[in-house]
Amino acid sequence: MSQALDEIKIGGLGASRKRVEDSRFIRGTGNYTDDITLPGMLHMEILRSPLAHARIKSIDASRAWQIPGVHLVLTGEMMATRNLAWMPTLSYDTQAVLATDKVRFQGQEVACVIADDPYIAKDACELIDIEYEPLPVIVNPEQAVADGAPVIRDDKENQLDNVIYDWAVGDAEGTGRAFAQADKISKLRLHYPRSHPSPIECCGSIADYNRSTSKLTVYMTTQAPHIIRAAVALVAELPEHMIRIISPDIGGGFGNKVPVYPGYVCSILASILLERPVKWIEDKSGNLISTGFARDVYLDGEMALRSDGKILAVRMHTDADHGAFFSDAQPSKFKIGLMHSAFAAYDVPVAHLTARGTYSNKAPGGVAYRCSFRVTEAMFFQERMMQAAADDLGMDQAEFRRMNFVPDEAFPHRTPFGFLTDSGQYARCLDVGLKAVGYQDFRRQQEEARGRGRLLGLGISTMTEPLGAGNSREYDILGIKMFDSAELKVHMTGKAIVRTGARGQGQGHETTWAQIVSHELGIPAEDVVVEEGDTDTAPFGMGTYASRSTPVAGAAVAMVSRKIRAKARRLAAHLLEVSEEDVEWELGRFYIRSAPDRGVTIQECAMAAYSNMPDGMEPGLENTAYYDPPNLTWPFAVYIVTVEVDPQTGVWDVLNMVAVDDCGIRINPMIVEGQIMGGLTEAYAVANMQFITFDAEGNCVGSNYMDYLLPTAWETPGFELHSEVVTPCPHHPIGAKGIGECAAVGGPAAFVNAVLDALKGTGVRNIDMPLLPDRVWEAITYRRDISGAPPVRADD
Ligand code: MCN
Ligand code: CUN
C-alpha cells in the first residue's frame, strides 16, 4: 500500500502556503538596506541638476568642503581621474555617473557629498556653486529628429543626431502585398506614457571597503546581485572574489532596481577613498525624477483586414523616447526589447515592425516596469488595435478575437515576428471570462442604458508574454549568457537550505522554492529554508526580473532536487540492501518494488549520507544545478472590464473586472493570485490616474506623489480571478510559467478599451493614458482624439 505523503499537507506544489517572509515583513522586522548600520559609517547625498539641458561652465565646491562633518565632495572631474565619470549601460551605451561636460536631464547627478550624517551632506550639497549655460531642450521623439535639433549626446564621437537606433523586424514586402489585398485597413496612433515603478523603498547602497582584507562589501537594493558583482569587477577593475554584493530585503523592485545607478557607483568609490562604510539612500523625489522610468513609446499601427474579420497583416512603427542615456536593462539582442512579441497570440500571417529610438532631455527611460522588456507596450498596442479593428469592421469584440486566436492544436506556434510560443488555450480563457462577466447580458444592458443617456462600456484585453529570459542562445547581459541556478544542501536530519541565483523583492520566493523541493523530495516545506541575494553564498545567477525566476531559477530548484533524489536512491538501495533498479520512489520515501512496505524515508537517506554511506560513495547530500531553458514560457490571460462613464464630468467607474490567467501549474495559488491582484492594481493606476510628464523646458511635471498617484485600497476596484484554465508549460520541469507581470502587462488595455467602448457612438477614437476625467470630458465634448503626453502636445 502506498505510504506517499499528502503533498498539499506538507506544503508542496499547489498548496496555498502562507508566505513565510511575511512573518517579518508585517511585524516590521524586515532587514532593508536602510536598516543596516555599520560602525564608522558615513552618509552620502547627491546634488542633482535643476536644468534639463545645460553646459556646465564651472563647479566650485569650496564652500561645501568647509562645513564641519564633511569628509568628501565628489564631482565629475574627480570621477574622471579614476575613469569613472561615465559608466557603460546594459544597452551598450554610456551613462554619466557625475556630469562633467553637460547636464542632460533634470535631476541628473552632478556632485555628491559624504558627511557624518545625511543632513550635513544635504546642507553641503546646497553650497556647491555651479554655473550652467542653458541649452535648447528636447522632450519627445518628434523634436529629437527635427531639423536643427541640438545633439544631446555630443560626448559620443560618431553621434551626429539624436537617433539611437532604427530597427526593423518581420516581412516588409509580404506585409505590403497583404495590405494591397485588404478589404479594410484599420489605423491607430497611440502613446503609452512614461510611467514609474515607484516602489515603496527607494534605491540605496552601503559600500564597505576594508583595506586590511581588500574586500569590498556592498549592501544594495538590486534585483541582480551577481550582475552587479561582475559589473564592479569589470568596470572598477577590482578582483571579483574580493567583491561581495548583498541584496537584503527589498521593498519592491518592479524593474526599478535592475539598472546600475550613479549613487551605487559613487558610494563605492567614496568608501574606497575614505576607507569607511558609506551609505546612500535615495529620497522619494530623487527616485521619482531620476531612476528607471518605463514606457514612453508612440505607435503608428495599421491592420489589413478581410471583410469577414480575418487579420491578413499588421504593420507597426514605434518611436521610443529613451531619455538622455540608452540604459534599458534588457538582455536581448533586439533594440526595442521584446516589442515584437506583439500579436503572438493571434494568427497573423505576416507582419512588419519598424522601431526607432531617440535621445531626449529626460531621465533615462526604458526600464522594464513589470513587463519583460517592452511587452507591456506591445500588448497594449495590440489590444487597442484589436478593439479599433473590430469597431471598424462593425464586428463583435469577442468574436473578432476568437476567430483570430492561435488555435490550441497549433503549438508550438511561430509568431509573425519570429518567437516560438509553447502552449495555451486562448479561446477557452476567453469563454471563461465572457461567462464570468455575463457578456451577452451586459451588451443588452449597455444598449438599454445608452437609450437613457448613460454610458456603459466593456473592454477586453488578452496578453501572452515571453517570460523567463534566457535561453542562453538568444539572451545575454553584456555577453554573459542568461540561465539560472539553484544549490540545495540537505542536512543530516533531513532539513535543508536552498539558494538560487534569483533575488525576490516581495514575490514570495522563500515560500515557493521550498514548495518545489517539497514536491520533488517530500521534505515538508517548513523544513526548507530559502536564501537569496548574497553573492558570497548563492550560486551564480542572473537575478529576478521578466518573471524569470519561476521559469529559470524555479526550474533549477526542481532539477537540483532531482539530482539529490538520484543520490538518495543510491543511499536507499544501500540501506534496503537491494540493487538500485529494485527501488521505487513515492513522495517522501523509497521502497522495494517487490516488498512495498519495506522502505526508507528521504530523511533516513539524508542521515545515511553523513553516517552510513556505501563504500566508495562521496559523503554528503548537496548539489547545484544550472538551468538553461529551452524556450521562454508563454502564459496567457484574458482581462475584461466593465465601466460606466459620466459624460458630464468624464469620471469613470469600474463596475466589474474579471481576470482569467493561465500560467500553467501554480506552485502556490494564493501567491499567484496576489501577483495578479498587484499587477491589476498597477494597470488600473496607469490607465486611470498616474500622470508624469515633462514640460517644454524639460521640467518633470508630476514629480511628486500628489500628482503621480499611487492607488490605495480606497480607489482600487475589486477583481474577480479565475484559475480554471491550466496549460502546463511543456518544457518546464514542473510545468509552470511565469506570472509576476501578466496583469500589469495585459491590464491597461482592458480599462482603456472599456472606457472607449462606452464612448462608442460619440465619435471618440482614442484617448491616451492616463484617462483622467478632464481628458475624457475633453474628448467627448470637442476633441475626439486625445493623444500624447498632455503638456507637451496640448497645442496640437
Ligand atoms: N508562482 C507560482 N506559480 C507559477 C508562477 C509563479 O506559484 N506558475 C510564484 C513564484 O514562485 C513567485 C511568484 O509567483 O513566488 C512570482 O513568480 P514569477 O512569475 O516567476 O516572477 P519573479 O519571481 O521572477 O518576479 C518578478 C516579477 C517582476 S519582473 C516584477 S517587475 C514584479 C513582480 O514579479 N515585481 C514585484 N511582482 C512583484 N511583487 C512584489 N511583491 N514586489 C515586486 O517588486
Ligand atoms: Cu519587467 S520589471 Mo520586472 O522585470 O523586474
Side-chain angles (χ1 to χ4, degrees), residues 10-12 15-26 29-32 246-252 488 496-518 523-534 544 549-550 553-554 557 667-668 670-671 675:
I10 63 165
S16 282
R17 243 188 124 202
K18 282 194 186 156
R19 293 170 27 124
V20 294
E21 44 271 87
D22 286 354
S23 167
R24 64 178 190 279
F25 291 163
I26 60 183
T29 58
N31 186 37
Y32 298 90
I246 301 173
S247 286
D249 285 335
I250 295 183
L488 178 57
I497 178 165
V498 62
R499 295 189 173 103
T500 80
R503 196 337 152 215
Q505 316 107 45
Q507 292 88 345
H509 294 178
E510 289 171 45
T511 310
T512 48
W513 298 162
Q515 293 185 246
I516 297 175
V517 174
S518 241
I523 297 176
E526 63 188 30
D527 289 351
V528 183
V529 69
V530 175
E531 193 187 278
E532 291 182 336
D534 181 342
T544 288
S549 306
T550 301
V557 174
I667 304 163
N668 181 321
M670 181 186 69
I671 285 183
Q675 288 291 312

Side-chain angles (χ1 to χ4, degrees), residues 223 253-255 258 368-373 505 544-547 741:
Q223 298 178 220
F254 305 107
V258 177
Y369 164 25
R370 218 166 186 175
C371 95
S372 49
F373 324 121
Q505 316 107 45
T544 288
Y545 40 85
S547 301
E741 309 149 303

Side-chain angles (χ1 to χ4, degrees), residues 52-53 104-106 136-139 152 324 359-363 694 698:
H53 200 192
R104 293 175 171 82
F105 67 89
Q106 185 181 60
V137 168
I138 289 173
V139 290
I152 296 172
Y359 290 116
S360 70
N361 293 115
K362 291 149 85 168
F694 295 80

Side-chain angles (χ1 to χ4, degrees), residues 26 46 165 171 322 506 772:
I26 60 183
I46 296 176
Y165 57 80
D171 175 357
H322 290 269
L772 302 171

Side-chain angles (χ1 to χ4, degrees), residues 156-456:
K156 296 172 76 174
E157 225 167 84
N158 297 317
Q159 184 75 45
L160 304 176
D161 56 21
N162 293 312
V163 176
I164 307 171
Y165 57 80
D166 249 317
W167 188 70
V169 60
D171 175 357
E173 266 178 45
T175 304
R177 279 195 299 274
F179 268 82
Q181 282 158 17
D183 294 328
K184 191 156 201 97
I185 294 173
S186 171
K187 297 185 182 192
L188 203 59
R189 184 174 158 79
L190 300 174
H191 179 229
Y192 198 126
R194 273 204 166 208
S195 51
H196 197 282
S198 45
I200 292 178
E201 183 196 18
C202 299
C203 295
S205 52
I206 304 167
D208 180 16
Y209 179 69
N210 183 326
R211 177 172 293 288
S212 56
T213 60
S214 304
K215 187 131 189 176
L216 171 70
T217 304
V218 191
Y219 301 85
M220 64 192 284
T221 53
T222 177
Q223 298 178 220
H226 283 97
I227 299 301
I228 298 284
R229 184 180 70 185
V232 173
L234 298 172
V235 177
E237 293 177 1
L238 293 173
E240 196 174 354
H241 65 306
M242 287 294 155
I243 305 165
R244 180 181 188 185
I245 307 295
I246 301 173
S247 286
D249 285 335
I250 295 183
F254 305 107
N256 189 238
K257 289 167 181 154
V258 177
V260 178
Y261 294 115
Y264 298 150
V265 180
C266 293
S267 67
I268 290 172
L269 181 62
S271 177
I272 292 171
L273 293 175
L274 296 168
E275 294 179 24
R276 285 179 62 175
V278 174
K279 180 191 262 191
W280 166 62
I281 298 292
E282 188 183 47
D283 58 26
K284 277 281 173 200
S285 50
N287 181 263
L288 198 51
I289 65 173
S290 76
T291 65
F293 277 94
R295 330 291 189 228
D296 211 351
V297 183
Y298 294 82
L299 167 87
D300 268 303
E302 287 186 283
M303 252 164 142
L305 301 158
R306 212 164 61 193
S307 54
D308 66 355
K310 176 80 189 84
I311 302 172
L312 300 177
V314 171
R315 200 184 267 143
M316 299 170 82
H317 172 75
T318 61
D319 270 309
D321 182 339
H322 290 269
F325 307 109
F326 181 31
S327 61
D328 292 24
Q330 66 98 1
S332 78
K333 59 182 185 290
F334 316 114
K335 288 299 181 189
I336 180 75
L338 306 183
M339 179 72 82
H340 56 307
S341 59
F343 291 93
Y346 296 107
D347 177 25
V348 175
V350 60
H352 191 237
L353 167 77
T354 49
R356 187 176 57 186
T358 46
Y359 290 116
S360 70
N361 293 115
K362 291 149 85 168
V367 300
Y369 164 25
R370 218 166 186 175
C371 95
S372 49
F373 324 121
R374 302 292 184 184
V375 168
T376 310
E377 291 96 314
M379 291 305 133
F380 180 75
F381 293 154
Q382 164 194 304
E383 288 304 306
R384 290 285 300 111
M385 285 171 73
M386 288 300 286
Q387 168 147 318
D391 283 346
D392 289 345
L393 286 166
M395 268 187 82
D396 176 78
Q397 289 296 327
E399 242 3 85
F400 177 60
R401 285 180 169 84
R402 189 197 316 277
M403 74 171 282
N404 284 294
F405 275 149
V406 174
D408 300 1
E409 62 284 358
F411 293 102
H413 165 76
R414 185 67 68 182
T415 76
F417 294 120
F419 288 100
L420 198 66
T421 54
D422 61 2
S423 59
Q425 303 175 61
Y426 302 163
R428 217 182 125 213
C429 290
L430 181 64
D431 288 341
V432 169
L434 293 176
K435 183 159 176 256
V437 81
Y439 188 61
Q440 297 305 343
D441 256 10
F442 185 83
R443 287 296 186 206
R444 270 193 295 277
Q445 278 174 38
Q446 189 182 19
E447 265 321 298
E448 203 183 281
R450 197 161 276 154
R452 288 183 283 116
R454 283 180 57 204
L455 302 178
L456 302 187

Side-chain angles (χ1 to χ4, degrees), residues 446 450 455-457 645 647 753-764 767 776 779-780:
Q446 189 182 19
R450 197 161 276 154
L455 302 178
L456 302 187
V645 180
N753 279 345
V755 172
L756 285 156
D757 184 62
L759 303 187
K760 212 166 137 179
T762 63
V764 175
I767 308 172
V776 175
I780 302 172

